[in-house]
Amino acid sequence: MSRSHRRKPARRRPSPERGRPAATRREAPLRTHWLLLCTLVLTLTAALLLQGYSHHMLNDAADGTAAAPGPAAAVPAAVAHGGPVVDAGAAHPRTAQPAARTIALTFDDGPDPRWTPQVLDILRRNHVHATFFVVGTLAAQHPDLVRRIVAEGHQVGIHTFTHAELSTLPPWRQSLELREAQLAVAGAAGVTTPLLRPPYSSGNDAVDDAAWDSMRRAGQQGYLTVLTTRDSEDWQRPGVAKIVANSTPHDAAGQVLLMHDAGGDRSQTVAALRVLLPELKADGYRFATVSAAVGMADPVRDAGIGDHWQGLGLIYLLRGGNLVLSALDWLMVVAGALSLLRAVTVLVAARRHRRARRVPWGPPVTAPVSVVVPAYNESAGIEAAVRSLAASDHPVEIIVVDDGSTDGTADLVAALGRPGVRLIRQANGGKPSALNTGIAAASHDLVVMVDGDTVFEPDTVRMLIQPFADPRVGAVSGNAKVANRGGLLGRWQHIEYVVGFNLDRRLFDLAECMPTVPGAVGAFRREALRRVGGVSDSTLAEDTDLTMALCRDGWRVVYEESAIAWTEAPASLGALWKQRYRWCYGTLQAMWKHRGALVRRGPAGRLGRRGLGYLLLFQTLLPLLGPVVDVFAVYGLVFLQPTRVIAVWLAFLLLQLTMGRYAFRLDGERTGPLWSLPLQQFVYRQLMYLVVVQSVFTALAGSRLRWQRMERYGSLQAPPSPTAPVPTPAAPTALADAWLAEAQAAHANDTVMNAGSYNAHSLGSYRESWQR
């Protein structure tokens, strides 16, 4: 992102004739995107919660594995010794028994796409109707099978939503299990049913106090509990003969027979049915649904419109959740692979860059330098900044352009009375205007631009200009460091500057696609600036815009890590948000403005396909996935294996620490602040994600962002004054005239940037002031 000086807002509304650059107009703030983002995140969260609940809370243990019954003192005798169909909601519980020589054939745990169709085929061939107690999540996954069950005359009941043991659940969870299972059936087949088979239930004699409480709660909601009298034990897969033997009655009493059409390999069940149904029918037994077996009217009813549509919504939400999970799985893989690839790439590039920079650029560059300092309300730090520049061990002229400050910034500079320091006052026009004024006033061919909140070391200018020994170099990025790095926020920004910005710059330097020379510390050839039309005001990231224009014009832009500057970073989350929002939004503007580089050849093509591609992928698209990644991580902690999620997080943290240690070593920094890196993942990273989200939405909506100024704290200190006097340059009237003419010509020809960014009014006023 752009590391430029803050834009300077005018205190009063500009007059129509003076105007203001289009990018500085403030329009109505964008708010709907936050509502949209919150809605998307909440929807994603709800879908994942439902998906996690329906899939990872699903208990697929066989019904026969239930624990032994507990105390049964509260169970009424009429239930303990009654029939298997229980109405527990009445004041006096009632039960019903199947008629003699009548078998209510029941199937649990389905539907299953493999075994349920085979069971239905056998029932159809034998003209037998059965009752299927379906699990809600499986019914939602296979609604066509539930519709077939109903269409072929079978009865449907519910077996809870996730096959949960109701007697162990709190009342709210039991109600949820029953309601969601009912909606799944209503959405799948358009019917509702009061028949309930509690998972892990068996006969009446196995009902204990806990089971009775859950049966009473279900009864109060209108459900009839259907227990069993015979268990085929097919869930144990004992063999076809054993299943047939277990299922065959020993007398004429009516039976409710338990079998399974899902929950594992049911090939033995299917084979046993082929034998069992003809044999029992030959022995005089008849098969019926549960209600018909006990002499009840069919309790299954058509679902109401509301229940049917809610059920359909549940089904489609679960299906959508499946798609979301599949997409998230792939995105996590891609994001992880790209993150690993980026880490390896930047580390290898940093190592190669370090070796490459051991080779001198050429003969030492000793030419004097013009340093331009644009300033708007910089009273807290301007004195330290100017004194540090005056202490440079390289001959410099210092040009401070006061852009209509109202806090006495210009007076502080004037009071310094330093030789080689010139002060230019102009009406507020924004940072590009101030920079162009300073460039026009410069006496030398090499120009250093520095923000008013930045302090140079004595050798910074000298180190910064050495790459200009190579005539292909048009601009040089220095090494900006955080001065106020105390506290967590300061440490986090310090880590970001060293590990993020500086490692990226080394990579960009090697790939010859540097997208940004930061406003805090950068050097330029005046010839290169002239050819691209100066500093543009068409984006908020004027430094990124200018750098991209130089790359497109064929100039090489490099990184000089030994040219160190100390800058004052935001000291509050609010100030950090404003700064990074402007950086990110301005960078998006610059990327869009220079998108034509994607199809160019040579230096412009390298910028487009390497630099813009990197920015789009790693600083735009991946951060947009940040909230999704965090939601998925929470999902994994709750529903998946927490140890695996934590292990993955620790692995990436270790990777970041490795990058951090190496980057700190390259920059000659102590690694102590890296202890705060794990904490950075829980606050700072989310803030940066939201900055990108805000910037992208603002850009897509076509809204404008006003100039913003960061609060100053006066934490910077200037180095000692130099012992040798700094040469005072001659008045640059002729240079200003030449620059103005060249800039106007560049603007007329619409070169490279399609927007010449000089300010003719400011330059003309400055020329007149020097003539006077």
Side-chain angles (χ1 to χ4, degrees):
M1 299 301 173
S2 167
R3 249 61 69 185
S4 65
H5 188 72
R6 266 56 56 190
R7 304 270 186 175
K8 312 308 180 185
R11 293 296 175 146
R12 296 183 180 179
R13 189 173 182 176
S15 62
E17 62 272 15
R18 178 168 170 240
R20 189 171 221 182
T24 67
R25 291 196 302 270
R26 183 183 183 184
E27 298 182 3
L30 188 64
R31 293 287 182 262
T32 55
H33 66 285
W34 286 121
L35 177 61
L36 177 61
L37 175 65
C38 292
T39 301
L40 290 175
V41 171
L42 290 176
T43 302
L44 175 63
T45 302
L48 290 178
L49 284 175
L50 180 59
Q51 197 72 9
Y53 182 83
S54 61
H55 283 70
H56 301 289
M57 298 295 288
L58 180 64
N59 191 342
D60 58 359
D63 287 327
T65 60
V75 180
V79 173
H81 305 289
V85 181
V86 183
D87 179 5
H92 300 286
R94 298 173 296 178
T95 67
Q97 179 74 35
R101 304 192 71 80
T102 301
I103 298 176
L105 181 59
T106 64
F107 293 92
D108 285 6
D109 295 352
D112 181 273
R114 180 178 182 183
W115 304 114
T116 302
Q118 296 184 46
V119 170
L120 290 171
D121 290 343
I122 295 172
L123 295 178
R124 185 179 66 249
R125 286 196 296 268
N126 288 274
H127 307 288
V128 169
H129 288 151
T131 302
F132 289 79
F133 291 96
V134 298
V135 177
T137 57
L138 300 179
Q141 291 179 40
H142 312 291
D144 54 324
L145 292 178
V146 182
R147 286 193 292 271
R148 181 181 172 184
I149 289 171
V150 174
E152 295 185 0
H154 303 288
Q155 200 167 54
V156 66
I158 63 172
H159 201 43
T160 73
F161 189 63
T162 64
H163 200 265
E165 188 171 0
L166 295 178
S167 61
T168 64
L169 302 181
W172 70 267
R173 171 89 186 276
Q174 176 176 325
S175 297
L176 179 66
E177 286 283 331
L178 301 183
R179 176 60 178 166
E180 296 305 302
Q182 195 72 257
L183 285 178
V185 172
V191 298
T192 58
T193 175
L195 301 179
L196 166 66
R197 167 71 57 74
Y200 308 104
S201 62
S202 55
N204 294 62
D205 57 351
V207 177
D208 58 15
D209 292 342
W212 173 243
D213 286 342
S214 67
M215 290 170 61
R216 283 195 304 110
R217 287 194 295 267
Q220 291 167 2
Q221 298 177 49
Y223 287 96
L224 296 175
T225 300
V226 180
L227 303 175
T228 60
T229 59
R230 296 200 69 80
D231 185 355
S232 67
E233 298 185 4
D234 59 345
W235 54 274
Q236 297 190 67
R237 300 183 62 199
V240 173
K242 184 65 173 176
I243 293 175
V244 171
N246 292 337
S247 303
T248 302
H250 301 304
D251 52 35
Q255 305 290 335
V256 175
L257 174 61
L258 171 62
M259 303 187 85
H260 297 82
D261 64 327
D265 183 352
R266 294 294 172 245
S267 57
Q268 293 183 4
T269 302
V270 172
L273 282 172
R274 293 193 182 101
V275 176
L276 181 67
L277 297 183
E279 286 186 356
L280 291 181
K281 291 180 73 174
D283 289 344
Y285 288 93
R286 74 182 184 94
F287 291 91
T289 63
V290 168
S291 61
V294 298
M296 292 172 49
D298 189 355
V300 179
R301 296 287 182 267
D302 290 338
I305 294 178
D307 284 343
H308 178 59
W309 284 103
Q310 287 184 60
L312 285 176
L314 175 64
I315 291 173
Y316 285 116
L317 187 58
L318 288 174
R319 287 183 174 178
N322 285 332
L323 294 176
V324 168
L325 279 179
S326 298
L328 285 179
D329 285 341
W330 280 106
L331 287 175
M332 295 305 105
V333 172
V334 171
L338 288 176
S339 298
L340 183 60
L341 176 63
R342 175 184 177 271
V344 173
T345 302
V346 296
L347 289 176
V348 171
R351 184 175 180 85
R352 291 183 57 188
H353 184 271
R354 187 181 189 184
R355 290 200 301 265
R357 289 300 168 262
R358 292 172 181 170
V359 179
W361 290 97
V365 178
T366 59
V369 175
S370 297
V371 182
V372 178
V373 187
Y376 174 81
N377 287 354
E378 299 283 3
S379 59
I382 191 64
E383 184 175 353
V386 172
R387 288 185 180 276
S388 73
L389 294 171
S392 175
D393 62 8
H394 190 88
V396 296
E397 68 164 342
I398 303 168
I399 304 170
V400 179
V401 182
D402 182 76
D403 192 42
S405 297
T406 59
D407 66 345
T409 297
D411 295 334
L412 285 174
V413 175
L416 290 176
R418 301 303 299 259
V421 177
R422 287 186 288 134
L423 172 65
I424 302 174
R425 302 174 188 258
Q426 69 173 33
N428 179 256
K431 186 181 179 184
S433 172
L435 286 171
N436 286 325
T437 298
I439 294 168
S443 304
H444 306 300
D445 292 332
L446 298 181
V447 178
V448 170
M449 300 183 194
V450 55
D451 286 340
D453 63 342
T454 303
V455 166
F456 275 20
E457 294 188 352
D459 65 347
T460 299
V461 173
R462 174 169 53 83
M463 302 304 297
L464 187 62
I465 65 172
Q466 294 311 306
F468 289 116
D470 184 342
R472 298 174 301 164
V473 174
V476 182
S477 167
N479 185 348
K481 291 180 176 290
V482 175
N484 53 329
R485 56 182 68 172
L488 275 178
L489 190 59
R491 289 190 182 93
W492 290 340
Q493 293 179 84
H494 171 44
I495 293 172
E496 184 182 27
Y497 271 65
V498 175
V499 181
F501 301 157
N502 288 350
L503 281 182
D504 282 348
R505 287 196 185 102
R506 292 180 172 93
L507 173 62
F508 291 140
D509 189 352
L510 282 180
E512 298 185 18
C513 60
M514 184 78 68
T516 303
V517 172
V521 52
F524 304 84
R525 291 187 191 272
R526 291 185 77 245
E527 168 64 15
L529 294 173
R530 181 196 65 78
R531 280 171 44 175
V532 300
V535 184
S536 172
D537 61 3
S538 60
T539 74
L540 293 186
E542 72 287 326
D543 50 3
T544 299
D545 190 358
L546 174 61
T547 308
M548 291 182 180
L550 292 171
C551 289
R552 293 185 66 184
D553 194 44
W555 293 99
R556 187 178 177 190
V557 182
V558 301
Y559 173 54
E560 181 51 65
E561 60 190 78
S562 60
I564 297 174
W566 299 89
T567 189
E568 195 171 49
S572 67
L573 288 176
L576 178 64
W577 170 273
K578 291 179 181 179
Q579 181 199 63
R580 299 309 172 85
Y581 180 23
R582 185 182 57 78
W583 285 3
C584 183
Y585 181 71
T587 299
L588 292 176
Q589 288 179 309
M591 291 169 63
W592 180 253
K593 177 179 176 180
H594 297 283
R595 64 191 183 278
L598 289 168
V599 295
R600 296 279 298 276
R601 294 181 178 180
R606 287 193 289 271
L607 169 71
R609 290 181 287 277
R610 299 176 187 176
L612 297 188
Y614 186 93
L615 293 178
L616 177 65
L617 185 61
F618 292 108
Q619 295 191 17
T620 304
L621 296 182
L622 282 183
L624 287 177
L625 293 176
V628 178
V629 172
D630 290 340
V631 170
F632 190 72
V634 175
Y635 170 84
L637 289 173
V638 175
F639 295 111
L640 303 179
Q641 297 181 13
T643 53
R644 290 182 58 185
V645 176
I646 295 174
V648 171
W649 182 80
L650 289 176
F652 276 96
L653 180 61
L654 179 61
L655 179 64
Q656 291 176 320
L657 286 171
T658 302
M659 293 176 60
R661 287 182 61 86
Y662 188 64
F664 269 58
R665 192 178 76 179
L666 289 177
D667 265 33
E669 296 280 355
R670 294 190 306 168
T671 59
L674 289 176
W675 70 264
S676 65
L677 187 60
L679 299 177
Q680 189 186 46
Q681 309 303 306
F682 296 103
V683 179
Y684 194 86
R685 187 168 61 96
Q686 281 71 19
L687 182 67
M688 296 301 104
Y689 289 162
L690 294 178
V691 164
V692 176
V693 170
Q694 169 88 344
S695 301
V696 170
F697 271 99
T698 303
L700 292 177
S703 300
R704 299 288 185 179
L705 186 64
R706 64 171 180 168
W707 304 139
Q708 297 171 351
R709 179 185 179 277
M710 193 184 83
E711 181 181 356
R712 301 295 182 218
Y713 312 99
S715 59
L716 299 174
Q717 299 295 326
S721 300
T723 56
V726 179
T728 303
T733 306
L735 289 173
D737 288 336
W739 170 262
L740 178 57
E742 292 167 351
Q744 288 172 330
H747 179 60
N749 293 328
D750 197 22
T751 58
V752 182
M753 292 196 302
N754 197 29
S757 58
Y758 64 94
N759 186 309
H761 174 80
S762 298
L763 293 177
S765 300
Y766 171 67
R767 182 182 62 233
E768 293 170 2
S769 70
W770 268 101
Q771 289 171 343
R772 290 195 298 269

